[in-house]
DNA sequence: TACTATTTAATTTTT
DNA sequence: TTAAATAGTA
């Protein structure tokens, strides 16, 4: 029982939280103040010092990554595995409960989880079925409505239309959607939480059982909890389970997703005697960065209030660069990155942040031309790829014939001559007889369809039945292999022309090996395949599972939360972009944008560049823009303007040799930035040019071959 | 059914 | 601008 190991590295506030007696605790943890460390050490303290059994601990996070990190760090601190400790995401834990108690939860034993993409498809199909004009009823809005209700813990029966026909229709959609899910045995993300909450609420013995089992509850990112998550936590806590919540109201940036910072106040009301600890010492950033961040966030009204400080150095001022336009901005950033890399720093230690994904394009072009490797965060994850979802849909249908979502997805994929007509008649039958498409298919094939269509449908039904029989004795990866081969999906994608088809085939093969290495943890609760499918929905996998190459990191401010970098660029700092136009009018929206800005600034360890463009091409039109109001909220003493605005107009192109080459450019009939093709080196972009006539040379950055100087008269470049 | 033209809209995202 | 969704054509 080595207490010093757990406590020695903690400051006073952290120690106070970690060693607190069994009472409700609320830890307000500023950016970079050791939030995860406190959670990890608290768990270790409870287990190692207080003698709490690991299985009496429940730790909840928002992301799988955070859950994995917490488990890893607890185990390494304790020096032993903690198998019976429940650590997971809200959704993961809810899923676990529902698998274990599917009967009480009113679910079929083999229910499956649908992701937002599946959900949207379901809604679109629902609209078609109801023959509703989907220009008036936007599927995305319906999806948003349904999820928002579920996030609040509301079922259709709880909702009142208040005489508003619009709302009445929405409620009707919600109800119809629920019926579809119910019949197909499908559960969406919000439904997991809602059901898990109802499970406890309506089963006193079950709740009592878990309340006896758990003595302590650890909650990460508490400011991000939505109503149903909070209700679930509070229900479990009851009067006996001790909650320990960690969060930062200043970093609440997900209100639009249902998160409610107010829970931080509610917590103190619901758990009288809550002790609040503030972690304000920051171990990440320079004093300058922190003072700037503090000054910015002080403009928000609804705050608990705290002041980050550090005993470290002041550091460099924040550098603000006013770019002429977005390309100049990108050039500037690329230039600073070049310097950074040339000084021997890691590319991966630098991040370029922006408000919205579309802004990455110009930056990417700049980095590409400069030959600097980069990685863009976000985008499609492995299990979200179309080909992967197709393959999984076969497995799902094999596991559950009533899964209409999967049925629709693969009925004609690969194409097997079952067109929209045929599917429509199945839908009609299913609607009329209130049955699944699977049953409709065999009924329709037997009497409504012409021979040709009937044949195609029957052979599809046989294919699935045969797959089910053949799969019975196979292990998981063999079943996946069977699914992609027997369905002929793999050949379907192989025929796809170009690299796209290739990657798709690779992904499918990757899926087979994912099946090989999959280790189940709920084996008692469900079949291996079903667990794999749930896993795929719940953990959509890495964006790019590329090998660890040293890359500059590009991401939105949102996805930067929780990360830190020695060098940070906040780009596109213009009113309308950031704060975003859509949030600008609403005071609470503006405050959330400001918190986002605060998150961005506090990612920085040493050097922060803030850039904006005076003119930006947006939606194909050049617009003049103004620097973000947030820049003005940073006190001047922490800021250094990189370039006096007087020079701005001169900087149409980057300085140096390029400027001198303007004349040459015109004479040779090429221009910088021009895309070209070379027989041997492939596609590239002209970076520079010099000389005249037969001696004229151009510098070209090729996508694959790198940067080369070529003599124009020999190179035989095709302009593109 | 696949390819092409036209229209439309344009934050943030984890589960 | 451009990406995605829809409508129209071969």
């Amino acid at each position: 029982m080595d207490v010093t190991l757990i406590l020695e590295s903690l400051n006073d506030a952290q120690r106070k939280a970690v060693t607190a007696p069994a009472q409700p605790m609320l830890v307000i943890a500023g950016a970079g103040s050791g939030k995860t460390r406190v959670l990890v050490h608290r768990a270790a303290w409870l287990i190692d010092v207080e003698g709490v059994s690991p299985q009496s601990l429940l730790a909840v996070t928002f992301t799988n990554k955070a859950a994995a990190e917490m488990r890893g760090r607890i185990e390494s601190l304790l020096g032993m595995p903690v198998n019976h400790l429940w650590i997971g995401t809200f959704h993961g834990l809810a899923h676990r409960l529902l698998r274990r108690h599917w009967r009480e939860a009113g679910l079929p034993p083999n229910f499956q989880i649908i992701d937002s993409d599946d959900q949207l498809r379901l809604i679109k199909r629902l609209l078609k079925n109801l023959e509703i004009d989907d220009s008036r009823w936007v599927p995305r809005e319906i999806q948003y409505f349904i999820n928002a209700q579920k996030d609040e813990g509301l079922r259709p029966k709880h909702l009142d239309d208040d005489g508003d026909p619009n709302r009445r229709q929405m409620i009707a959609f919600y109800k119809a959607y629920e019926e579809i899910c119910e019949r197909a045995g499908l559960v969406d993300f919000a439904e997991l939480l809602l059901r898990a909450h109802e499970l406890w609420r309506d089963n006193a013995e079950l709740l009592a059982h878990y309340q006896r089992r758990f003595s302590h509850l650890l909650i990460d990112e508490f400011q991000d909890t939505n109503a149903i998550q909070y209700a679930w936590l509070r229900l479990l806590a009851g009067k006996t389970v001790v909650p320990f919540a960690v969060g930062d109201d200043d970093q609440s940036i997900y209100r639009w997703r249902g998160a409610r910072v107010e829970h931080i106040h509610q917590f103190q009301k619901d758990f009288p005697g809550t002790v609040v600890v503030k972690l304000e010492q920051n171990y990440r950033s320079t004093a300058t960065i922190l003072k700037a961040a503090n000054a910015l966030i002080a403009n928000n009204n609804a705050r608990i209030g705290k002041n980050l400080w550090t005993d470290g150095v002041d550091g460099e001022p924040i550098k603000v660069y006013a770019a002429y336009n977005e390309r100049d901005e990108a050039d500037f950033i690329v230039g600073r990155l070049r310097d950074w890399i040339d000084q021997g720093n890691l590319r991966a230690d630098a991040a370029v942040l922006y408000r919205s994904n579309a802004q990455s394009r110009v930056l990417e072009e700049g980095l590409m031309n400069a030959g600097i490797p980069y990685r863009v965060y976000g985008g499609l994850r492995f299990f979200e790829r179309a080909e992967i979802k197709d393959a999984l849909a076969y497995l799902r249908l094999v596991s559950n014939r009533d899964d209409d979502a999967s049925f629709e997805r693969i009925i004609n994929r690969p194409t097997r001559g079952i067109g929209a007509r045929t599917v429509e008649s199945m839908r009609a039958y299913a609607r009329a007889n209130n049955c699944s498409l699977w049953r409709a298919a065999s009924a329709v094939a037997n009497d409504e369809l012409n021979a040709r269509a009937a044949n195609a449908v029957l052979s599809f039904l046989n294919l699935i039945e045969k797959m089910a029989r053949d799969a019975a004795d196979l292990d998981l990866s063999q079943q996946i292999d069977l699914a992609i081969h027997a369905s002929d999906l793999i050949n379907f994608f192989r025929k796809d022309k170009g690299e796209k088809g290739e990657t798709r085939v690779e992904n499918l093969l990757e899926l087979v090996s994912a099946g090989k290495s999959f280790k189940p943890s709920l084996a008692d609760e469900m079949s291996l395949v079903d667990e794999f499918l749930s896993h795929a929905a719940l953990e959509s996998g890495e964006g790019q599972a590329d090998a660890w190459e040293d890359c500059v990191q590009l991401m939105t401010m949102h996805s930067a939360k929780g990360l830190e970098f020695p060098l940070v660029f906040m780009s596109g700092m213009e009113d309308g972009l950031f704060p975003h136009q859509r949030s600008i009018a609403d005071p609470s929206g503006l405050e959330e944008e400001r918190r986002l800005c605060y998150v961005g600034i506090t990612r920085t360890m040493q050097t922060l560049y803030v850039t904006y463009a005076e003119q930006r091409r947006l939606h194909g039109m050049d617009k003049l823009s103004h620097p973000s109001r947030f820049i003005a909220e940073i006190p001047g003493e922490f800021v250094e303007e990189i370039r006096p605005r007087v020079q701005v107009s001169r900087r149409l192109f980057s300085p140096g040799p390029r400027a001198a080459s303007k004349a040459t450019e015109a004479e040779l009939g090429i221009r910088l930035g021009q895309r070209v093709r070379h027989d041997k080196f492939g596609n590239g972009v002209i970076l520079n040019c010099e000389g005249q006539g037969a001696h004229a040379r151009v510098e070209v950055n090729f996508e694959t071959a790198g940067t080369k100087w070529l003599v124009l008269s020999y190179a035989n470049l095709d302009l593109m």
Side-chain angles (χ1 to χ4, degrees):
Chain A
M1 210 181 287
D2 193 356
V3 182
T4 50
L5 190 66
I6 298 177
L7 298 184
E8 65 184 355
S9 57
L10 304 178
N11 65 35
D12 288 347
Q14 291 173 334
R15 189 169 305 177
K16 183 176 175 201
V18 166
T19 62
Q23 69 201 358
M25 292 289 294
L26 181 59
V27 180
I28 306 298
S33 66
K35 170 190 71 120
T36 310
R37 153 170 297 224
V38 163
L39 273 171
V40 165
H41 285 244
R42 174 67 175 174
W45 172 267
L46 289 173
I47 294 170
D48 220 25
V49 181
E50 301 282 351
V52 174
S53 153
Q55 62 165 332
S56 301
L57 277 185
L58 178 65
V60 202
T61 64
F62 275 85
T63 66
N64 294 300
K65 198 172 144 207
E69 188 192 347
M70 206 192 297
R71 161 159 264 127
R73 283 176 62 173
I74 291 174
E75 290 183 343
S76 76
L77 185 58
L78 289 175
M80 60 174 195
V82 279
N83 295 322
H84 297 287
L85 166 59
W86 276 28
I87 298 185
T89 61
F90 278 100
H91 294 86
L93 294 166
H95 174 238
R96 197 164 179 166
L97 284 171
L98 295 179
R99 286 294 172 195
R100 186 165 284 184
H101 308 290
W102 55 270
R103 213 185 297 270
E104 295 90 329
L107 288 168
N110 59 345
F111 73 86
Q112 272 304 336
I113 303 168
I114 55 170
D115 64 18
S116 336
D117 185 58
D118 298 329
Q119 184 183 39
L120 189 61
R121 284 161 175 276
L122 269 181
I123 292 168
K124 284 181 180 164
R125 206 192 74 208
L126 172 82
L127 288 183
K128 284 228 172 73
N129 264 347
L130 297 175
E131 289 174 335
I132 292 232
D133 173 16
D134 60 358
S135 55
R136 217 169 93 66
W137 301 98
V138 188
R140 280 211 169 278
E141 284 171 11
I142 300 171
Q143 179 182 33
Y144 181 83
F145 176 86
I146 293 175
N147 289 335
Q149 302 314 313
K150 290 191 177 193
D151 284 346
E152 294 292 321
L154 300 169
R155 295 286 186 194
K157 64 175 181 220
H158 300 128
L159 298 172
D160 198 329
D161 60 29
D162 304 320
D164 174 358
N166 209 39
R167 187 172 161 80
R168 193 162 126 208
Q169 182 60 267
M170 283 295 195
I171 297 170
F173 287 142
Y174 182 9
K175 206 167 167 205
Y177 167 80
E178 280 220 301
E179 279 159 13
I180 290 177
C181 291
E182 183 90 37
R183 200 179 57 211
L186 299 174
V187 171
D188 61 45
F189 289 138
E191 184 74 19
L192 284 170
L193 304 174
L194 191 44
R195 289 257 177 182
H197 177 253
E198 290 167 350
L199 175 71
W200 278 346
R201 188 196 61 194
D202 301 337
N203 291 275
E205 331 80 76
L206 248 179
L207 175 61
H209 167 263
Y210 284 100
Q211 286 176 331
R212 277 194 302 274
R213 169 178 173 158
F214 297 117
S215 60
H216 291 266
L217 187 48
L218 306 178
I219 310 141
D220 190 19
E221 304 277 16
F222 183 63
Q223 78 284 352
D224 283 341
T225 49
N226 65 28
I228 192 69
Q229 288 162 337
Y230 182 68
W232 185 77
L233 290 171
R234 204 177 53 178
L235 195 56
L236 174 64
K239 297 239 179 312
T240 54
V241 186
V242 185
F244 184 97
V246 180
D248 180 2
D249 55 325
D250 289 334
Q251 290 187 73
S252 156
I253 53 176
Y254 288 114
R255 190 179 176 84
W256 51 277
R257 214 161 70 179
R260 290 291 175 269
V261 218
E262 295 86 338
H263 292 146
I264 290 186
H265 301 288
Q266 192 60 39
F267 185 95
Q268 299 173 68
K269 283 187 207 142
D270 288 338
F271 301 101
T274 292
V275 172
V276 179
V277 175
K278 285 188 195 178
L279 306 183
E280 298 178 293
Q281 182 174 4
N282 172 291
Y283 297 94
R284 175 187 293 156
S285 313
T286 63
T288 301
I289 299 288
L290 293 179
K291 286 180 201 158
N294 284 337
L296 174 97
I297 201 68
N299 290 292
N300 271 7
N301 285 316
R303 292 183 67 214
I304 290 179
K306 69 176 133 36
N307 229 11
L308 288 181
W309 61 276
T310 176
D311 59 10
V313 296
D314 279 354
E316 317 157 41
I318 295 171
K319 290 156 189 98
V320 175
Y321 178 72
Y324 170 67
N325 61 17
E326 74 281 350
R327 310 193 68 181
D328 179 38
E329 180 185 44
D331 279 351
F332 173 79
I333 292 173
V334 166
R336 300 291 76 72
L337 283 169
R338 258 265 90 82
D339 296 346
W340 172 259
I341 297 162
D342 290 346
Q343 285 157 23
N345 296 296
L346 281 177
R347 291 186 276 257
D349 280 343
V352 186
L353 312 183
Y354 36 82
R355 174 66 235 264
S356 63
N357 292 111
Q359 290 168 250
S360 75
R361 167 162 292 147
V362 207
L363 296 163
E364 287 187 69
E365 277 169 18
L367 288 162
M368 182 91 79
N369 290 339
I372 299 175
Y374 62 89
R375 184 190 135 165
V376 186
Y377 273 64
L380 269 195
R381 325 277 273 298
F382 181 73
F383 286 110
E384 289 167 355
R385 291 168 190 279
E387 63 275 18
I388 298 301
K389 297 199 76 171
D390 289 340
L392 295 178
Y394 277 95
L395 294 176
R396 291 171 83 132
L397 199 59
V398 165
S399 164
N400 170 15
R401 297 313 125 82
D402 295 334
D403 183 340
D404 285 358
S406 299
F407 185 96
E408 287 238 20
R409 184 170 187 110
I410 56 176
I411 178 73
N412 201 33
R413 202 169 168 87
T415 43
R416 43 174 74 88
I418 304 177
R421 259 280 145 67
T422 313
V423 177
E424 189 43 54
S425 68
M426 290 187 245
R427 286 202 201 106
Y429 184 95
R431 216 176 313 146
N433 295 279
N434 193 29
C435 69
S436 65
L437 288 170
W438 176 266
R439 299 182 60 192
S442 56
V444 166
N446 285 327
D447 41 65
E448 275 179 44
L449 298 177
N450 62 46
R452 207 177 124 115
N455 246 327
V457 171
L458 287 176
S459 75
F460 173 72
L461 298 179
N462 284 332
L463 171 73
I464 299 296
E465 293 290 10
K466 182 164 189 314
M467 244 182 225
R469 285 194 303 275
D470 292 348
D473 302 317
L474 299 178
D475 69 32
L476 177 58
S477 71
Q478 289 170 324
Q479 288 189 47
I480 300 170
D481 194 67
L482 175 72
I484 63 182
H485 282 102
S487 66
D488 211 32
L489 261 186
I490 192 128
N491 285 320
F492 176 68
F493 288 122
R494 206 164 263 150
K495 272 182 271 169
D496 264 21
K497 48 196 176 300
E499 273 176 49
K500 240 184 208 148
E502 250 170 70
T503 7
R504 294 203 149 143
V505 171
E506 277 166 27
N507 285 333
L508 286 175
L509 299 176
E510 178 70 32
L511 183 66
V512 177
S513 59
K516 216 169 276 172
S517 53
F518 179 66
K519 23 186 196 327
S521 61
L522 301 175
D524 307 340
E525 259 68 72
M526 61 197 299
S527 87
L528 186 58
V529 184
D530 285 344
E531 183 170 352
F532 182 72
L533 291 170
S534 305
H535 167 85
L538 237 32
E539 287 199 48
S540 26
E542 277 292 303
Q544 294 119 325
D546 289 339
W548 269 145
E549 202 195 340
D550 179 28
C551 291
V552 170
Q553 314 285 303
L554 264 59
M555 67 191 84
T556 62
M557 308 249 176
H558 280 91
S559 30
K561 189 172 155 213
L563 306 176
E564 57 180 26
F565 306 91
L567 174 63
V568 171
F569 295 86
M570 293 172 76
S571 67
M573 295 289 288
E574 294 137 46
D575 258 28
L577 254 190
F578 191 32
H580 195 275
Q581 196 59 50
R582 290 204 159 172
S583 316
I584 240 163
D586 160 43
S588 75
L590 191 62
E591 293 213 343
E592 178 143 318
E593 296 280 310
R594 190 176 283 111
R595 290 192 292 268
L596 187 57
C597 187
Y598 176 79
V599 166
I601 294 176
T602 53
R603 299 309 96 197
T604 314
M605 299 164 80
Q606 297 159 19
T607 311
L608 174 61
Y609 284 95
V610 169
T611 63
Y612 66 91
E614 296 176 324
Q615 185 181 326
R616 179 177 296 269
R617 178 156 265 200
L618 255 185
H619 311 321
M621 287 214 282
D622 283 320
K623 288 237 180 95
L624 293 179
S625 43
H626 301 285
S628 169
R629 61 193 72 187
F630 298 149
I631 296 180
E633 292 176 7
I634 302 174
E637 51 181 311
F638 307 124
V639 172
E640 176 189 314
E641 295 231 20
I642 280 289
R643 200 201 46 204
R645 308 279 233 94
V646 201
Q647 291 180 17
V648 165
S649 53
R650 267 208 315 125
R651 218 175 190 283
L652 272 162
F653 292 96
S654 338
R658 285 191 187 189
S661 68
K662 283 231 74 180
T664 319
E665 221 183 308
E667 186 191 328
L668 299 174
I670 54 151
R671 57 183 171 80
L672 302 187
Q674 166 96 52
R675 303 201 127 265
V676 293
R677 174 191 287 282
H678 183 273
D679 284 344
K680 209 153 97 208
F681 302 135
N683 295 337
V685 174
I686 297 181
L687 295 181
N688 209 343
C689 55
E690 62 173 32
Q692 297 162 350
H695 300 292
R697 303 194 311 147
V698 288
E699 188 184 27
V700 182
N701 180 27
F702 292 101
E703 281 163 17
T704 45
T707 304
K708 302 213 182 308
W709 276 101
L710 304 168
V711 176
L712 203 54
S713 48
Y714 294 123
N716 215 357
L717 295 171
D718 285 332
L719 304 182
M720 293 167 72

